[in-house]
Amino acid sequence: MIKEFQKVAIIAGDKEVTYREMLCRIDRYTELMNGKEGEKTLILSENREGWVYAFFAVWKSQGIAVPVDATSTVSDIVYILNDCRPERVWASRQTEATVRQAIAESGVDTNVLLIDDYEDEPAIHSEPQGIRMPDMQATALIIYTSGTTGNPKGVMLSYSNLWANMNSVSVDVPILTGERRLLMLLPIHHVLPLMGTMIIPIIQGGGIIICPTLSGPDIMAALARGKVGAIVGVPRLWQTLYGGIKKKIDEHAITRGLFSLCAKVKSKRLSRLIFGSVHKKLGGHLDYCVSGGAALAPEIVEGLTTLGLDVLEGYGMTETAPIIAFTRPGDTIAGSVGLPLPGVECKLLDGELLAKGPNVMQGYYNRPEETSAVIDKDGFVHTGDLARFDEKGRIYITGRCKEIIVLSNGKNVQPNEIEYKLEKFDDKVKEAAVMQDGDMLRAIIVPQDDWAMGKSDQELEELLKTEVLQPYNQTVTNYKKLMSVSVYRGALPRTKLDKLQRFKLKDLLAGNLQTDKSSGSQGAASNTQIDEAAMPEVLRILVNYIKGEKKVEVKPTDHLETDLAFDSLDRVEMQGFIEATFGIELKADRLTAFPNVEAMAQYIEEKKTRVEVEDVDWQKTLSADMSKLELPSCSHLMPAGLKAFKAFFRVYNSLKVYGKENLPKKGPFIIAPNHQSLLDTPVAMAGISYKTIRDCYFYTAEKHVQGRLRKNLARHNNIILMQQGDLKNSILRMAKVLREHKNLVIFPEGTRSKNGKLLPFKKTFAILSQELGVPIVPVRVDGTNDALRPGSMFIRPSRMKVTYFPAIMPDETLSYDELADKVKAVLS
């Protein structure tokens, strides 16, 4: 253990814990355990600093640590308790009730210690004791596999197994060294994040920063504060990160060109120079992006490398603690998982990869027969993966032995290859799985929420056949074609590290399996309906509110953004509901920082001043004092520019304007156009007079107006920015515009439609209309999506038209949703 006692070992929230303080607390946890050599201790908690203390206290007691998923169900824990019969359990207050119920049901006599009770105790030992490791062949861990093929098994790993991994990536190849802090992001009950983001960085002296949630803002804040040098993540993290960056690059011809240049030159120094802003947003210290758990698509590797990031892909399994092979810095080749660990021998047997070395497990706990089935008499572990080697010994994983689909014509199909291609249709496809259906291939597709909303499963299947399967089938040989598709509204069953549990797909199609959308995993109790009556009061109120707003089923484990598709306007409305119902003010952008609805409910339970279930009093909210709110000014540039656009469109795009007589002669009024292109705003204003344009304010997301110059232009051209940290005041600014008898242009869909069909309407514009007595002018814009296609910088000479429909007056007999639907019906 590191001797620089004053160096920071752990950053968690606002706390910084030095190595001295950490070792003192480990000593305290060791005293509390009073453990003996060889005793087993379960650790069942969310990621936190106390997890670290409990884990190393087990080792200091020369015991065996058994990390368990903090989201495990009672039956999951009962299974593990009966299998390994631990002497004690370290739990958090969040998991305590589940743990105690599991202990009662299992009948196992074990002691429960709460991490929360001792986590913040003062570090009282003046001279903390280090951790003396026992015999290197002793069992250090029992890790229960999350299971892609059935019941979990306890993988016994020795200190020697773990040290073989640690020395390979910190000494032999200096990646996770004492100079690099790691981001603890993934749940550390699994061996990959346990080793990569806790054990190795703590022991080597680099230290860790614990990210409180998987939300984008929390990750970016942790990267900046912790000066993170390496991140260990699963493929979906890197896919999401790269997808977001690449989308912004593709918006501009200049950045697209620079990206292409870097891809050809392949100079890390040039890439870091050109994309310096990207590296700055990632904290400015990030050296390595480490991916494991599943295969990383080659184009993601190539793309991140083009941005100047070092992408290191590791390959292995729990049974090898976990690494078998990994790519070395400077030797990243898309599709390869690199060279074997030093001292590890790899070979192929009938195409299957076998590995032998000091990293191979001791065996499965109490399962000698299953151990013999995986480790042969020569000590080689059978990975179950198909592979090939290149001339330098690099390994390329080509598929899973058990996942290969063998058709009657003898053709072999790797389903993961097809799934990756389907998921590239990401405007419609959230997830995909491919399975055998007789002598054909069937796709199970989880559709994107926004795209699927309002459509039946039958409608979605027909659309997917024509808009996804047909384009895919045109690119592949006959035996790889998909002949049928099934829609699944949920999440495909996956392990915690994102591996698809294919053995559950038939049950899923048969309706015998329900998956948890927040994690993609299935618990033993997941087949039962959620009992709302048994929920705590605050949680039940929140769930019912969200169900009413989003018209979907809601689980306590759902995340507002990733599972329930909450956007900025949804958050503003929920912020108002929480304030009216519970008497607390919760910033709108704070809502998506909670890992799930249940965590939000727990926070509200602690802070609430009342519980009064009622609709948000928007009348009261919109009558607040707005005198201190500043509105942007209007220069002559804006109306003149819009009129210039109109003249151009009339000549170049044969723009036609209909229904100008329907525009109110005086304000205030709300202009509500459909949205399908960046050209929609100037086209929607084509029939409005110069004088009226000066009184029109435009509402847009702050992310679309980046940079000092653009923001300055917005301030002087009637543009109200939707500020993520101040959403409520953004709404109040819109109300102030209307109260001052000005006009407001707001797109009810909130974002652009990719196929021209109307997306679900947000009701903010209807709230403003109803509460302020302002008419709504529906505006239909046609042809703009053909004139300027996504990613293009050039306007095509396609015909365009704009139609102004008669104003719709607010009506007290209508709800906000009904008023919004009335406008949508006109534009449909």
Side-chain angles (χ1 to χ4, degrees):
M1 189 66 69
I2 189 169
K3 299 300 182 182
E4 298 176 45
F5 281 177
Q6 297 311 311
K7 188 174 182 178
V8 173
I10 304 170
I11 300 174
D14 295 330
K15 291 185 285 186
E16 292 190 356
V17 181
T18 65
Y19 270 88
R20 178 183 294 279
E21 291 168 331
M22 181 191 73
L23 291 170
C24 287
R25 292 192 175 114
I26 291 172
D27 286 347
R28 173 61 173 150
Y29 276 51
T30 306
E31 292 171 0
L32 292 163
M33 286 173 50
N34 192 28
K36 298 178 182 177
E37 183 177 351
E39 289 184 343
K40 294 178 285 296
T41 301
L42 262 62
I43 307 176
L44 210 147
S45 166
E46 63 282 3
N47 290 4
R48 59 193 300 168
E49 64 267 32
W51 209 109
V52 181
Y53 310 149
F55 179 85
F56 283 113
V58 175
W59 276 10
K60 188 164 187 178
S61 302
Q62 300 186 48
I64 301 170
V66 186
V68 179
D69 185 354
T71 64
S72 297
T73 64
V74 170
S75 58
D76 292 334
I77 301 169
V78 168
Y79 174 87
I80 294 173
L81 287 169
N82 283 321
D83 192 60
C84 72
R85 310 190 75 80
E87 280 70 24
R88 68 191 61 79
V89 179
W90 276 108
S92 67
R93 206 168 299 282
Q94 183 174 316
T95 62
E96 180 185 10
T98 305
V99 168
R100 292 194 185 278
Q101 185 179 343
I103 291 172
E105 291 187 15
S106 70
V108 175
D109 183 19
T110 189
N111 185 33
V112 177
L113 296 164
L114 285 184
I115 288 174
D116 306 62
D117 289 347
Y118 312 102
E119 192 172 53
D120 293 321
E121 278 191 356
I124 56 175
H125 293 79
S126 58
E127 289 298 329
Q129 301 298 309
I131 300 172
R132 180 178 62 85
M133 299 302 173
D135 177 9
M136 293 298 286
Q137 301 309 312
T139 303
L141 292 172
I142 296 179
I143 299 275
Y144 279 84
T145 58
S146 36
T148 58
T149 56
N151 287 331
K153 300 180 287 290
V155 176
M156 296 187 295
L157 299 173
S158 68
Y159 289 94
S160 179
N161 297 150
L162 303 179
W163 256 244
N165 273 263
M166 181 172 68
N167 288 335
S168 294
V169 297
S170 59
V171 179
D172 297 330
V173 183
I175 299 167
L176 306 186
T177 68
E179 304 306 315
R180 293 190 179 95
R181 182 173 287 120
L182 268 290
L183 179 68
M184 182 187 285
L185 183 64
L186 303 174
I188 50 176
H189 67 274
H190 193 283
V191 69
L192 170 64
L194 177 62
M195 282 292 289
T197 67
M198 196 197 83
I199 294 175
I200 296 175
I202 288 292
I203 289 179
Q204 290 300 322
I208 61 175
I209 179 167
I210 302 173
C211 192
T213 74
L214 293 175
S215 71
D218 279 343
I219 293 174
M220 301 310 284
L223 289 174
R225 183 182 176 198
K227 297 181 180 179
V228 173
I231 305 175
V232 176
V234 292
R236 282 186 183 271
L237 170 67
W238 304 119
Q239 184 175 337
T240 301
L241 175 69
Y242 174 67
I245 296 171
K246 189 63 164 60
K247 187 175 182 180
K248 288 185 177 297
I249 289 173
D250 289 343
E251 289 176 355
H252 304 287
I254 293 176
T255 47
R256 288 200 305 271
L258 290 172
F259 184 85
S260 298
L261 173 66
C262 290
K264 292 176 182 177
V265 174
K266 298 185 184 302
S267 166
K268 180 179 176 181
R269 179 176 295 180
L270 176 64
S271 293
R272 283 185 170 263
L273 176 64
I274 290 177
F275 295 107
S277 61
V278 172
H279 292 270
K280 187 175 180 181
K281 288 181 180 179
L282 294 173
H285 294 79
L286 186 60
D287 293 320
Y288 298 115
C289 302
V290 181
S291 183
L296 185 60
E299 73 176 54
I300 305 298
V301 177
E302 292 171 354
L304 290 172
T305 303
T306 299
L307 292 172
L309 293 166
D310 274 320
V311 183
L312 305 181
E313 191 168 1
Y315 163 76
M317 52 200 301
T318 305
E319 289 83 348
T320 55
I323 307 174
I324 292 175
F326 65 97
T327 54
R328 276 44 168 188
D331 189 36
T332 299
I333 297 178
S336 169
V337 295
L339 297 166
L341 260 67
V344 172
E345 178 185 353
C346 290
K347 67 178 183 179
L348 299 179
L349 179 64
D350 296 328
E352 181 187 5
L353 181 66
L354 277 58
K356 177 182 179 180
N359 58 334
V360 176
M361 68 171 178
Q362 296 173 314
Y364 296 120
Y365 184 72
N366 282 340
R367 284 181 170 79
E369 292 183 2
E370 293 184 49
T371 301
S372 298
V374 172
I375 302 177
D376 63 26
K377 59 182 177 62
D378 295 321
F380 282 92
V381 63
H382 291 239
T383 67
D385 288 312
L386 299 172
R388 66 177 178 86
F389 299 103
D390 67 11
E391 67 283 356
K392 292 188 176 180
R394 302 186 193 93
I395 299 173
Y396 296 76
I397 303 300
T398 58
R400 288 283 296 169
C401 297
K402 294 180 181 179
E403 290 182 355
I404 289 179
I405 296 173
V406 183
L407 302 175
S408 61
N409 59 9
K411 296 291 187 180
N412 293 342
V413 177
Q414 279 294 344
N416 61 309
E417 293 179 7
I418 301 176
E419 288 155 2
Y420 174 69
K421 291 180 180 179
L422 293 178
E423 289 176 359
K424 293 181 76 171
F425 293 87
D426 58 0
D427 57 333
K428 301 174 182 67
V429 180
K430 181 187 289 186
E431 288 186 273
V434 173
M435 61 183 293
Q436 190 168 4
D437 185 7
D439 198 34
M440 300 185 300
L441 297 177
R442 172 182 290 272
I444 303 173
I445 290 181
V446 178
Q448 291 288 3
D449 297 329
D450 288 345
W451 179 70
M453 193 170 293
K455 301 181 182 75
S456 68
D457 286 0
Q458 185 175 355
E459 289 174 317
L460 289 172
E461 287 177 4
E462 290 303 316
L463 288 169
L464 287 169
K465 285 178 183 176
T466 58
E467 298 181 19
V468 176
L469 265 60
Q470 187 175 333
Y472 160 78
N473 285 341
Q474 291 173 350
T475 66
V476 297
T477 188
N478 284 337
Y479 73 89
K480 290 185 178 182
K481 289 184 177 179
L482 294 163
M483 307 310 293
S484 58
V485 61
S486 295
V487 169
Y488 181 67
R489 298 182 190 252
L492 298 178
R494 294 181 182 274
T495 68
K496 288 293 180 181
L497 288 193
D498 209 39
K499 291 181 181 178
L500 187 62
Q501 296 174 306
R502 296 187 185 278
F503 70 99
K504 295 180 179 179
L505 293 178
K506 288 184 178 179
D507 283 341
L508 184 146
L509 276 187
N512 299 325
L513 180 73
Q514 293 179 358
T515 57
D516 181 292
K517 289 187 290 184
S518 67
S519 64
S521 65
Q522 186 225 357
S526 64
N527 287 337
T528 58
Q529 293 293 321
I530 297 173
D531 184 2
E532 289 186 13
M535 290 181 184
E537 182 183 26
V538 173
L539 177 59
R540 185 175 66 254
I541 291 170
L542 290 177
V543 165
N544 285 328
Y545 168 80
I546 298 169
K547 284 171 65 175
E549 292 294 308
K550 302 298 286 185
K551 306 298 186 290
V552 295
E553 286 302 312
V554 181
K555 294 180 181 179
T557 51
D558 282 339
H559 184 271
L560 288 184
E561 193 170 50
T562 57
D563 295 313
L564 298 171
F566 260 60
D567 64 14
S568 57
L569 298 181
D570 293 324
R571 297 200 299 270
V572 171
E573 291 168 8
M574 188 166 187
Q575 177 191 23
F577 172 80
I578 291 171
E579 189 171 342
T581 305
F582 304 110
I584 65 170
E585 184 175 352
L586 194 58
K587 291 287 187 182
D589 59 341
R590 174 75 174 87
L591 297 180
T592 50
F594 292 105
N596 50 47
V597 178
E598 187 172 24
M600 184 195 310
Q602 291 171 351
Y603 177 86
I604 293 172
E605 178 66 41
E606 296 173 2
K607 305 292 185 181
K608 71 180 189 301
T609 60
R610 64 170 182 268
V611 179
E612 298 176 6
V613 182
E614 57 183 42
D615 290 333
V616 179
D617 189 347
W618 281 107
Q619 185 175 28
K620 179 181 177 181
T621 300
L622 297 178
S623 63
D625 180 17
M626 305 175 190
S627 59
K628 295 183 179 179
L629 293 177
E630 294 184 3
L631 295 178
S633 61
C634 180
S635 70
H636 293 287
L637 177 64
M638 187 265 290
L642 289 174
K643 286 301 176 183
F645 268 115
K646 176 186 176 181
F648 172 79
F649 292 146
R650 287 185 68 136
V651 174
Y652 188 71
N653 298 95
S654 301
L655 172 65
K656 302 296 183 185
V657 180
Y658 301 97
K660 287 201 311 184
E661 67 277 6
N662 293 320
L663 288 164
K665 303 303 180 186
K666 296 181 180 180
F669 55 88
I670 297 171
I671 295 175
N674 61 307
H675 200 12
Q676 53 189 348
S677 167
L678 291 171
L679 301 179
D680 291 338
T681 298
V683 173
M685 304 303 290
I688 298 176
S689 68
Y690 184 96
K691 181 180 179 181
T692 304
I693 288 176
R694 287 185 58 82
D695 287 337
C696 288
Y697 286 74
F698 305 84
Y699 187 52
T700 189
E702 188 178 27
K703 66 181 180 180
H704 298 314
V705 187
Q706 296 294 325
R708 184 178 299 177
L709 177 60
R710 288 186 179 183
K711 288 185 177 180
N712 186 56
L713 286 172
R715 282 195 297 269
H716 296 288
N717 288 282
N718 281 11
I719 296 175
I720 298 174
L721 298 182
M722 183 181 67
Q723 298 174 313
Q724 293 296 326
D726 196 11
L727 290 168
K728 184 176 180 181
N729 278 340
S730 298
I731 301 293
L732 291 179
R733 283 185 173 88
M734 287 195 287
K736 185 174 182 178
V737 165
L738 297 172
R739 286 194 179 279
E740 293 185 357
H741 297 275
K742 308 293 186 181
N743 311 313
L744 182 68
V745 181
I746 182 169
F747 292 97
E749 295 166 275
T751 188
R752 294 193 297 274
S753 169
K754 295 182 180 179
N755 57 9
K757 295 181 180 179
L758 289 178
L759 299 172
F761 273 24
K762 311 303 178 185
K763 63 185 180 183
T764 305
F765 78 106
I767 293 171
L768 292 166
S769 170
Q770 195 83 295
E771 296 302 335
L772 301 176
V774 175
I776 302 169
V777 179
V779 180
R780 178 76 199 184
V781 175
D782 292 295
T784 54
N785 54 337
D786 290 327
L788 184 63
R789 294 181 176 175
S792 175
M793 294 291 290
F794 301 101
I795 299 174
R796 297 154 54 93
S798 300
R799 293 181 179 273
M800 299 191 302
K801 72 175 180 178
V802 58
T803 306
Y804 301 96
F805 293 94
I808 295 176
M809 300 302 296
D811 185 342
E812 291 183 358
T813 65
L814 298 178
S815 68
Y816 303 138
D817 287 320
E818 289 169 338
L819 180 57
D821 288 342
K822 192 173 180 179
V823 176
K824 186 177 182 181
V826 172
L827 295 177
S828 296

